Amino acid sequence: MDNQELFTVVDFPKFCYRLINYKGTCITDGNNKDVHNNKLAWKTFIENEKGRYEALNQANEDLHIDVQKLDAIDYQFVSPWMTRYDNATNENKVKILQLFVDVMYEKYFQSILVNYNKQHCTIPT
């Protein structure tokens, strides 16, 4: 499996999981201070994700994930999915997460992380 396939199989669903669990995430700025403003917290969360991917790129020379467009992900689009996921029973959370991965793929994947194959974009079991 090449690095692009590995990203598609493993990390894109994990990225979606981090998005859908955003409300439960402690967001800190560069000075390790909590960010309480919702707009600033979302922006900081996305910037932290960019940094995470840049570190992955550096650690894996063959992995070149361009994440500069991550801030195109609209909080207003993700927010209802967060609520739906939070309110789901434990047995339905996996189904909702998979639906969210599919919707994120359709809405954002090609415009943010181009040239990956949707058939591999499933939650690993």
Side-chain angles (χ1 to χ4, degrees):
M1 179 179 304
D2 68 18
N3 283 329
Q4 288 183 347
E5 288 176 322
L6 181 63
F7 172 76
T8 307
V9 171
V10 177
D11 206 67
F12 183 70
K14 286 182 179 180
F15 170 69
C16 291
Y17 179 77
R18 289 189 301 276
L19 285 175
I20 208 166
N21 279 292
Y22 164 76
K23 287 181 182 177
T25 304
C26 179
I27 308 298
T28 59
D29 63 11
N31 299 321
N32 289 326
K33 293 183 181 177
D34 286 343
V35 179
H36 297 289
N37 175 296
N38 285 341
K39 192 172 187 177
L40 180 58
W42 182 253
K43 182 179 186 243
T44 303
F45 173 76
I46 294 297
E47 290 300 317
N48 289 344
E49 286 296 312
K50 285 181 185 180
R52 183 181 167 285
Y53 283 116
E54 287 168 7
L56 279 174
N57 285 343
Q58 289 176 358
N60 299 294
E61 293 176 7
D62 294 333
L63 189 63
H64 301 289
I65 302 168
D66 181 13
V67 293
Q68 296 310 310
K69 297 179 184 177
L70 281 184
D71 37 11
I73 298 172
D74 183 16
Y75 175 79
Q76 299 304 320
F77 176 79
V78 176
S79 180
W81 285 95
M82 290 180 215
T83 302
R84 186 176 178 189
Y85 183 80
D86 287 346
N87 292 332
T89 61
N90 285 337
E91 63 249 11
N92 285 327
K93 284 186 188 269
V94 171
K95 293 175 190 173
I96 291 170
L97 178 58
Q98 185 59 59
L99 286 172
F100 181 63
V101 169
D102 293 344
V103 168
M104 285 294 295
Y105 182 89
E106 295 300 324
K107 180 146 178 89
Y108 290 111
F109 196 73
Q110 293 300 320
S111 62
I112 294 173
L113 304 158
V114 184
N115 297 323
Y116 295 103
N117 187 344
K118 183 183 181 207
Q119 72 181 351
H120 296 293
C121 228
T122 56
I123 301 167
T125 54

